[in-house]
């Protein structure tokens, strides 16, 4: 589902997508199977080139528990706060050209940036990735997440992100008289 950004009016356009409106049924099928989804988004120009995408995604992905193997639905509730910018032509190898999405922190709210090209934004692909990112690498069903089982199966949601060492940690334990 591609959005022609040059057709978005100045005061924005609202999108309401679900299984009945069916636009994304095929795109999301490998993630959510036949589960319901409710996506409401507002896309509007920020300036002459950039756009904001704000909204909410509510669905359940179809998962297999990595502990007991049973199929279960993993609830996804995600707030979308995205800024779309035109692809930066870097020329040569351009290290920015490869990663389409960068995360920046705006005060205490996380906003991420996605590049678009040719005045088109692939909303389906964007939402597919946004939902997929919410699913932990090793998902556990509700039974395996019961409090008594919890301790052994804590997973780190930050796993994979670069762990930045605290420059002051080396100072811990040093006693100053
Ligand atoms: Zn399980």
């Amino acid at each position: 589902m591609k959005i022609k950004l040059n057709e978005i009016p100045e005061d924005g356009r609202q999108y309401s997508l679900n299984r009945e409106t069916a636009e994304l049924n095929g795109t999301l099928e490998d993630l959510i199977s036949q589960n319901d989804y409710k996506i409401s988004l507002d896309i509007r120009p920020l300036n002459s080139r950039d756009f904001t995408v704000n909204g909410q995604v509510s669905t359940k992905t179809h998962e297999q528990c990595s502990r007991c193997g049973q199929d279960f639905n993993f609830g996804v509730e995600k707030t979308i706060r995205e800024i779309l910018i035109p692809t930066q032509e870097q020329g040569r190898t351009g290290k920015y050209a490869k990663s389409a999405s960068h995360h920046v922190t705006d005060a205490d709210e996380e906003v991420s940036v996605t590049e678009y090209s040719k005045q088109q934004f692939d909303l389906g692909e964007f939402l597919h990735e946004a939902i997929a990112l919410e699913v932990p690498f090793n998902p556990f069903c509700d039974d395996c997440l019961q409090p008594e089982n919890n301790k052994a199966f804590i997973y780190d949601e930050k796993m994979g992100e670069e762990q930045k060492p605290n420059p002051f940690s080396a100072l811990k334990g040093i006693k100053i008289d």
Side-chain angles (χ1 to χ4, degrees):
M1 183 185 177
K2 292 194 170 134
I3 307 290
K4 292 199 171 73
L5 291 170
N6 52 345
E7 290 175 6
I8 301 278
E10 214 171 295
D11 56 352
R13 182 172 286 167
Q14 278 74 47
Y15 294 86
S16 188
L17 312 167
N18 53 59
R19 190 155 293 284
E20 282 67 50
T21 61
E23 295 93 335
L24 297 175
N25 288 6
T27 307
L28 298 179
E29 191 176 358
D30 65 318
L31 274 180
I32 69 172
S33 189
Q34 301 305 310
N35 291 334
D36 279 337
Y37 61 91
K38 236 169 76 179
I39 295 164
S40 54
L41 290 175
D42 174 285
I43 302 181
R44 65 183 57 211
L46 192 62
N47 51 48
S48 60
R49 314 175 310 137
D50 306 329
F51 296 80
T52 60
V53 184
N54 288 295
Q56 197 70 35
V57 174
S58 176
T59 187
K60 289 183 167 73
T61 65
H62 188 251
E63 303 296 337
Q64 196 172 37
C65 177
S66 50
R67 184 181 175 223
C68 70
Q70 74 167 310
D71 290 335
F72 73 105
N73 290 323
F74 181 84
V76 171
E77 301 288 335
K78 186 179 172 74
T79 300
I80 302 288
R81 285 172 52 81
E82 193 81 13
I83 294 174
L84 309 180
I85 61 170
T87 301
Q88 310 290 311
E89 297 297 341
Q90 291 287 317
R92 289 187 296 169
T93 52
K95 59 177 166 180
Y96 296 105
K98 278 177 195 155
S99 61
S101 183
H102 324 278
H103 288 268
V104 292
T105 303
D106 173 19
D108 53 347
E109 290 184 273
E110 189 175 302
V111 181
S112 52
V113 177
T114 293
E115 293 178 2
Y116 70 86
S117 59
K118 298 179 184 131
Q119 297 297 325
Q120 282 198 357
F121 170 53
D122 193 333
L123 184 59
E125 189 187 317
F126 168 76
L127 289 166
H128 186 279
E129 191 182 329
I131 293 169
L133 283 173
E134 292 299 294
V135 181
F137 185 67
N138 290 312
F140 295 116
C141 73
D142 285 346
D143 294 340
C144 294
L145 279 177
Q146 290 306 304
E148 63 266 28
N149 294 333
N150 232 356
K151 262 193 177 166
F153 300 103
I154 289 173
Y155 52 85
D156 185 3
E157 289 184 342
K158 299 271 181 204
M159 216 160 58
E161 283 181 24
E162 210 179 317
Q163 298 289 324
K164 293 196 181 70
N166 181 341
F168 297 105
S169 62
L171 300 176
K172 275 182 193 164
I174 294 180
K175 281 190 181 148
I176 299 171
D177 295 320

